[in-house]
Amino acid sequence: DVSNPKLPQLEGTAPLAGFFKRGLGVVGNKALVTDANPPLLSVVDVSAPAAPVVSATYELESEPKEVAALGDLAALVVVPTTFLTDGEGHHGLDLLDLSSPKGAIPITSYLTPQYPSFSKAIDNLLYVVDQVTFNKRVLHILDLSRPSLPVTVGTREIPDDAYEIQANGNILYVDLYESGFQILDISDPSAPALLNEVHTPGLANDLELDGDRIYIADGEAGVSVFDAVNPASPTFVGSWPDGPYEDYA
């Protein structure tokens, strides 16, 4: 409970199976948690925050890294299992239907060219970052309006791993760690256009939007704040240099 930010209070806990938590997605009163060892997806009912309940746990063939939630659809970024010597599974996306009382129903798998590392669901679009080579990453934009047939509507090469993606209308903000963050115009998702690339004072570990303000968990530089009234030319407002900060909510 963060109604008093100066004195946050623990509301409740839920024990989860597995030993290595990788991803968290929240939709409505459901929290989706992935585990890499063993490969699992846990669904937690958080409608009563003081008493969260694990409603289901599903075994997966591939190792989940990230999970994005769109309504009753769970999109898992998966890679071949690294905790098993034979490297079972595949790399790409696994889409699951969570609406059935019988549990998670696999819809389809979408294979990416190489090694997916991040995903973010915004409206009916899913943004997936794929590490094609050691120093090349590609942002894929997928249309999930028909979950059984995900379609890549656009791609764009980016200079670093994505740590977070946020959108304000047709403007996309991509957190890129050592490379700061990029601002993209996605009014035409088939051709995302670069508006600006901004280098932050530290290492951009996370990014959040509040109106026209951009807040960066900027590692040793603390929290860096930018004004994006003009997305093509954001201005540095200041920082709270009490780092290191590696995450932001």
Side-chain angles (χ1 to χ4, degrees):
D1 182 351
V2 292
S3 54
N4 180 359
K6 295 182 178 180
L7 192 62
Q9 299 291 322
L10 176 66
E11 279 281 310
T13 60
L16 298 175
F19 302 96
F20 193 60
K21 305 298 176 283
R22 295 296 295 267
L24 169 69
V26 178
V27 55
N29 290 322
K30 293 178 182 177
L32 311 179
V33 186
T34 61
D35 198 289
N37 184 23
L40 297 172
L41 170 67
S42 297
V43 181
V44 184
D45 183 344
V46 293
S47 55
V53 176
V54 178
S55 56
T57 300
Y58 307 104
E59 295 182 359
L60 305 171
E61 292 183 359
S62 302
E63 177 183 320
K65 290 174 63 65
E66 296 275 347
V67 57
L70 298 92
D72 288 318
L73 178 67
L76 302 176
V77 170
V78 295
V79 296
T81 52
T82 56
F83 286 97
L84 300 177
T85 56
D86 53 2
E88 296 176 350
H90 57 270
H91 54 76
L93 293 171
D94 283 350
L95 301 180
L96 306 176
D97 182 358
L98 303 178
S99 63
S100 172
K102 296 181 180 180
I105 298 177
I107 300 175
T108 190
S109 293
Y110 179 93
L111 302 184
T112 57
Q114 291 296 329
Y115 190 90
S117 59
F118 180 83
S119 69
K120 183 77 173 191
I122 302 174
D123 298 325
N124 280 325
L125 295 178
L126 184 70
Y127 300 88
V128 180
V129 175
D130 195 32
Q131 183 175 337
V132 180
T133 64
F134 179 75
N135 57 0
K136 180 181 179 180
R137 278 80 171 170
V138 175
L139 173 66
H140 298 258
I141 304 176
L142 278 68
D143 183 348
L144 295 184
S145 55
R146 293 179 60 190
S148 61
L149 189 64
V151 176
T152 297
V153 295
T155 61
R156 182 178 180 86
E157 188 172 335
I158 56 177
D160 210 337
D161 284 329
Y163 278 52
E164 180 59 281
I165 294 176
Q166 295 281 329
N168 186 356
N170 288 324
I171 305 300
L172 197 72
Y173 298 84
V174 184
D175 182 309
L176 295 169
Y177 193 54
E178 289 184 345
S179 300
F181 64 94
Q182 282 190 347
I183 304 174
L184 305 177
D185 183 343
I186 55 168
S187 51
D188 179 5
S190 66
L194 179 65
L195 295 179
N196 207 328
E197 182 172 316
V198 181
H199 290 273
T200 64
L203 297 175
N205 287 273
D206 202 355
L207 175 153
E208 291 292 334
L209 300 179
D210 184 12
D212 292 319
R213 289 292 172 95
I214 306 169
Y215 296 88
I216 305 288
D218 213 10
E220 295 290 345
V223 177
S224 297
V225 184
F226 293 81
D227 188 318
V229 171
N230 178 5
S233 184
T235 56
F236 179 64
V237 176
S239 62
W240 183 30
D242 283 341
Y245 290 100
E246 297 185 359
D247 207 348
Y248 189 89

